[in-house]
Amino acid sequence: MRFHAFLGFAVVLIQSPHTAADYTTTINAQSNRGTWDGWGTSLAWWAKKFGDRADLADILFTLKTTTLLGLNLPGLGFNIARYNAGACSSNTYDSTSMAVSANIKSSRQVDGYWINWASEDPTSSSWNWSVDGTQRQALRNAIDRGANRIELFSNSPMWWMCKNKNPSGASDGSENIQSWNLEQHAIYMANVAKYFKDNWNVQFESVDPFNEPSATWWNSAGTQEGCHFNVATQATVINHLHNHLASRGLSTVISASDESYFDQAVTNLQTIGSTAIGQISRVNVHGYQGGSGRRDTLYSLASAAGKKLWNSEYGDGVGSGLDMTSNLLLDFRWLLPTGWVYWQALDGSGWGLVQADNDSGQITAVNQKYWVLAQFSRHIRPGMRILDGGNSNVVAAYDASSKKLVIVAANYGTAQYINFDLSGFSQRPANGAAVVRWNTQIDGGDRYVQYSSDTVMSGTKFWSYFSTNSVQTFELTGVVL
Ligand SMILES: *[C@@H]1O[C@H](CO)[C@@H](O)[C@H](O)[C@H]1NC(C)=O
Ligand SMILES: *[C@H]1O[C@H](CO)[C@@H](O)[C@H](O)[C@H]1NC(C)=O
């Protein structure tokens, strides 16, 4: 609803080019919309193909400039990496082997570590710790570059825990985990977390044992791994996982349930029960409801329960970054996440930040949305306090130690001046002081271009001209709340 209202507004502006559209927004210095945990990406599936590429790790997980396809790319500075514990294996045990969807691409089959049900002991031959080396290398590369919030997640239980042995889902999209394997799925997650810590020095901060569990589109003809879980089953798995993390002495916390839509996450939180809620440390939700859904209700429920909230998976097929920008700003306005994770950093057509074919291994282009995301991720940094930017299209963040204020603003309709009023701050740069800005034009043109001297403070304000469909970032130092 909000999205449609918003689009209507944009259309009116386009049709009325002579309307004076300039506006002033006041950054609310007293607001506190959470401490930022960071930005990131999930590793499966691109990392299965590209996980050993140091240049891609530099682009995603550092702030330095790296050359790709002849372009000098400003690093996105991600610090969150989500590692996918796979559900596939090609072995046969007790005359049983995995059932494979006719439509799954090999790049989406992720090898899992627990290859048969003979033993829960991770040092036994029922476990193969040699699989999935390239995704693990991507995780290592991310950590070596400073990624410090590492999450383990699952798209499906191991195939042999599934009723039909098919890790893409049940034939009718219903719950596909065998009732006698609920604890095994928890043991799988806990053993992976423990093994990575003991053997590879990877400390998972959190583990989510589900991926879009309320969805009914996970079926045996699917194109990827997936599994529907009823909410009551989720609660049982969470309880087992809580016990198995604790018994292994792990500090890894549980995040859940990575539902597809804000409204599904609301229903999930309202029905999963107080025991499970007590065992979850963070609510993870995906952003696939786009401009719809009650982000505000989900935030209210999560914060009332004392839980952090992340948009743990966002993706869309619009390569310009237009949809990503509007949905991200809706998140900052209504969802108030403290972490934001793009699904596939490399993917086909407009879905990737970088266009790539993860089956053939070709990297072909950098989408404009790469530079659009840089406007946010390079400036709103971990540890900053998120502020209310005073307008739906404006977000601000503050770093107390360096007295730095960051403002990111988008403009969709008529090109216009936006005035930023800093009168609410007790200190701000002096009249005439330069404000550094970066600009990206969503429709093409500027790609994260820095301008250092054309914007200045005028009393308690500064202003900047925004072309149609553009995102700008401003940094000011010497600011005190
Ligand atoms: C374990 O995984 C490696 C890497 O995929 C593979 O080469 C090996 O055959 C597997 N071992 C068993 C016992 O399945
Ligand atoms: C990988 O790339 C192809 C081609 O660009 C794309 O169609 C697909 O969705 C991507 N994901 C896969 C195969 O997992």
Side-chain angles (χ1 to χ4, degrees), residues 45 105 107-108 347-349 356-359:
W45 306 297
K105 296 175 182 174
S107 60
R108 296 181 178 194
D347 205 345
S349 63
D357 185 321
N358 35 44
D359 290 294

Side-chain angles (χ1 to χ4, degrees), residues 89-91 111-112 115 125 127-133:
S89 70
S90 55
N91 57 303
D111 282 329
I115 60 175
S125 61
W127 297 72
N128 185 348
W129 295 102
S130 300
V131 302
D132 201 27

Side-chain angles (χ1 to χ4, degrees), residues 32-45:
N32 188 347
R33 312 192 120 208
T35 301
W36 193 243
D37 288 328
W39 305 88
T41 183
S42 296
L43 301 179
W45 306 297

Side-chain angles (χ1 to χ4, degrees), residues 143-156:
I143 293 169
D144 288 349
R145 285 160 179 76
N148 58 1
R149 292 186 182 273
I150 310 300
E151 179 157 81
L152 176 65
F153 77 99
S154 163
N155 283 326
S156 165

